[in-house]
């Protein structure tokens, strides 16, 4: 193999020198792979992988036998996976085939006619993408970092209203303070990069009052960022980003937030508020508080709510059959730094059970499975162009949505609640990237070969008051 690579390198080097000397065309015409011509295509493809993207590109001038291999999508998908922070070829294809056109997304029939993608061209375009700052401002915790990084560079338990300042102060002032705090923590100047802001779903209704509230929030976000001299802004709701992270543009996004859980129908990237967004008055805070109360009944007290949250994340799960689980030995231990060892038993699955039986925690609300089933029934009754089963993919997001067994239990309950013509084919997907799922959905956008163009609003466009309807 070393001799083969040396021979290929000599050809590449001679071609490169020929281009510098102004005789590149002549060098190309004289080049000959000789015995390398006899190698199988897979071997030659592996050689090109070893050479790297720059030298592989030069090989198209060396020999006709290699020219088609140099444009092989497998080669450039490999280079993209190696040199760019995308996890899989599936994510790459989904992003470039579906999202590169910007918002609004083209309707599903358009995708069937999408021309063959050239990942060699995409590699070149992605290499020139400036990257962006991603701020995933959740209802309880904020994740922030660079789109070029593999994961968020920082997390802050900000509880947004506290971070914004006095809740009585104007929205613009709170947002300006919040964004300034994040940029200070990232140690970056706002005017250097575009920003993608993940916005929690709020003002759920489709009424004129709710629309006005969303418009006010939207304009406050853009105003605060543009007044900080951010060059371009992409603001997207968390539910849509969670769906993108799961390589979907249509489905139902279920976010277990800090205070409440939202069940959001999304068709082709657009939140279908006219169909109905369901809200359950249970969130991560209630689950953590319930676990603490159950442990205190066993004379186990905690100095910090953070310890309880950690216990929930490490040991709690959702039972597939709650009644059957009650008769099992489910003890497990957890060592909390500075607070000793805790050994919960039934509390491990009783905590997650309140999502299905809220009355166990003294909450008068429908269960999560009932809210999702109601949303699916509404989706089924609405006739939309394209895939009639678009609502049968349910994507979970939020830290508490990572509880083991939650997706399986939801599938079981939905099949029991819904008639077969709705439940058949239903799939519940656990958070693809854990608690950071919306952040990774934003990262997919921030690394697109066409970013920031079709996804962002510039300061000039904002001042001209365009239709600021980006996936809200």
């Amino acid at each position: 193999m070393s001799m083969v690579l040396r021979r290929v390198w000599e050809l590449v080097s001679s071609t490169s020198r020929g281009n510098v000397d102004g005789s590149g065309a002549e060098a190309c015409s004289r080049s000959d792979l000789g015995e390398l011509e006899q190698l199988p295509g897979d071997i030659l493809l592996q050689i090109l992988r070893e050479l790297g993207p720059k030298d592989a590109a030069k090989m198209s001038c060396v020999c006709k036998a290699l020219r088609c291999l140099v444009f092989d999508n497998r080669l450039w998908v490999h280079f993209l996976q190696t040199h760019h922070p995308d996890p899989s070829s599936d994510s790459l294809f989904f992003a470039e085939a579906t999202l590169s056109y910007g918002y609004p997304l083209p309707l599903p029939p358009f995708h069937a006619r999408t021309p063959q993608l050239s990942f060699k061209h995409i590699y070149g375009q992605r290499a020139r993408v400036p990257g962006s700052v991603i701020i995933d401002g959740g209802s309880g915790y904020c994740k922030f970092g660079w789109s070029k990084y593999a994961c968020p560079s920082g997390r802050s338990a900000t509880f947004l209203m506290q971070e914004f300042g006095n809740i009585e102060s104007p929205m613009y002032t709170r947002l300006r303070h919040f964004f300034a705090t994040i940029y200070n923590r990232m140690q970056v100047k706002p005017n250097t990069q575009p920003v993608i802001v993940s916005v929690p779903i709020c003002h759920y209704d489709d009424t004129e009052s709710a629309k006005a509230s969303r418009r006010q929030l939207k304009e406050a976000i853009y105003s605060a960022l543009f007044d900080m001299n951010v060059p371009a802004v992409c603001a997207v709701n968390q539910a849509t980003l969670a769906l993108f992270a799961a390589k979907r543009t249509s489905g139902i996004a279920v976010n277990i937030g800090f205070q409440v859980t939202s069940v959001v129908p999304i068709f082709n990237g657009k939140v279908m508020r006219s169909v109905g967004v369901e809200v359950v008055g249970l969130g991560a805070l209630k689950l953590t508080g319930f676990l603490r109360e159950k442990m205190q009944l066993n004379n186990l007290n905690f100095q910090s709510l953070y310890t309880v949250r950690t216990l929930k994340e490490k040991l709690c799960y959702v039972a597939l059959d709650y009644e059957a689980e009650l008769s099992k030995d489910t003890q497990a231990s957890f060592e909390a730094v500075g607070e000793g060892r805790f050994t919960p038993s039934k509390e491990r699955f009783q905590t997650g059970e309140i999502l299905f039986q809220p009355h166990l925690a003294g909450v008068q609300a429908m269960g999560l499975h009932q809210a999702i089933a109601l949303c699916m029934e509404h989706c089924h009754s609405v006739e939309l162009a394209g895939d009639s089963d678009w609502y049968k993919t349910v994507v979970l997001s939020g830290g508490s949505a990572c509880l083991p067994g939650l997706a399986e239990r939801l599938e079981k309950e939905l099949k029991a609640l819904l008639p077969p013509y709705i439940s058949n084919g239903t799939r519940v997907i656990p958070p693809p990237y854990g608690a950071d799922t919306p952040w990774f959905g934003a990262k997919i956008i921030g690394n697109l070969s066409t970013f920031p163009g079709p996804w962002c609003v510039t300061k000039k466009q904002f001042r001209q008051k365009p239709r600021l309807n980006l996936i809200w």
Side-chain angles (χ1 to χ4, degrees), residues 38-268:
Q38 307 304 317
L39 290 175
D42 288 344
I43 299 296
L44 290 174
L45 198 62
Q46 183 61 38
I47 291 172
L48 293 175
R49 288 182 178 182
E50 296 293 333
L51 288 175
K54 291 184 179 179
D55 293 320
K58 295 175 184 176
M59 294 303 293
S60 61
C61 297
V62 172
C63 178
K64 291 181 179 179
L66 284 178
R67 194 164 298 162
C68 62
L69 290 177
V70 169
F71 287 89
D72 192 308
N73 273 341
R74 291 175 298 170
L75 176 66
W76 294 97
V77 167
H78 167 77
F79 289 146
L80 282 164
Q81 290 172 327
T82 304
H83 300 101
H84 293 275
D86 282 289
S88 68
S89 56
D90 287 346
S91 293
L92 280 171
F93 186 85
F94 164 76
E96 296 295 340
T98 310
L99 304 180
S100 61
Y101 304 98
Y103 190 81
L105 302 177
L107 290 171
F110 176 88
H111 300 321
R113 302 191 297 272
T114 300
Q116 177 68 33
L117 296 174
S118 169
F119 281 94
K120 182 177 184 295
H121 173 73
I122 288 170
Y123 183 94
Q125 292 292 104
R126 285 196 171 210
R128 290 189 286 271
V129 168
S132 60
V133 172
I134 299 176
I135 302 175
D136 175 18
S139 56
Y141 297 89
C142 177
K143 282 79 67 177
F144 51 86
W146 296 95
S147 63
K148 296 289 187 180
Y149 287 4
C151 61
S153 56
R155 294 173 176 82
S156 176
T158 52
F159 310 115
L160 291 183
M161 286 305 175
Q162 297 176 21
E163 186 68 28
F164 288 169
N166 188 337
I167 196 169
E168 299 299 328
S169 64
M171 186 185 301
Y172 170 88
T173 304
R174 303 200 309 269
L175 286 166
R176 179 72 181 265
H177 174 68
F178 170 69
F179 291 130
T181 300
I182 296 301
Y183 275 104
N184 286 336
R185 290 179 181 177
M186 291 185 66
Q187 298 182 337
V188 61
K189 294 181 179 179
N191 64 348
T192 57
Q193 305 284 346
V195 62
I196 303 175
V197 182
S198 165
V199 185
I201 283 284
C202 56
H203 312 299
Y204 305 97
D205 298 331
D206 200 36
T207 62
E208 290 303 317
S209 174
K211 290 178 182 178
S213 297
R214 288 196 295 273
R215 193 179 306 114
Q216 181 186 16
L217 175 60
K218 186 184 305 184
E219 293 189 357
I221 288 174
Y222 283 112
S223 295
L225 288 167
F226 286 133
D227 286 349
M228 294 169 64
N229 294 317
V230 173
V233 179
C234 172
V236 189
N237 70 72
Q238 282 185 333
T240 299
L241 290 177
L243 216 58
F244 288 172
K247 300 185 287 293
R248 299 289 192 280
T249 57
S250 298
I252 295 176
V254 177
N255 179 64
I256 302 179
F258 188 66
Q259 297 278 7
V260 299
T261 296
S262 57
V263 180
V264 187
I266 297 172
F267 179 71
N268 207 41

Side-chain angles (χ1 to χ4, degrees), residues 338-389:
E339 294 201 43
R341 179 174 292 274
F342 298 94
T343 307
S345 179
K346 291 180 174 55
E347 300 88 354
R348 294 180 62 203
F349 61 89
Q350 287 174 331
T351 298
E353 187 63 25
I354 69 173
L355 291 170
F356 299 89
Q357 302 187 61
H359 64 86
L360 295 176
V363 177
Q364 297 300 316
M366 65 176 129
L368 178 57
H369 58 304
Q370 295 167 328
I372 298 173
L374 183 60
C375 183
M376 293 180 72
E377 287 177 340
H378 290 163
C379 292
H380 177 76
S381 64
V382 177
E383 294 185 3
L384 296 173
D387 185 4
S388 60
D389 293 336

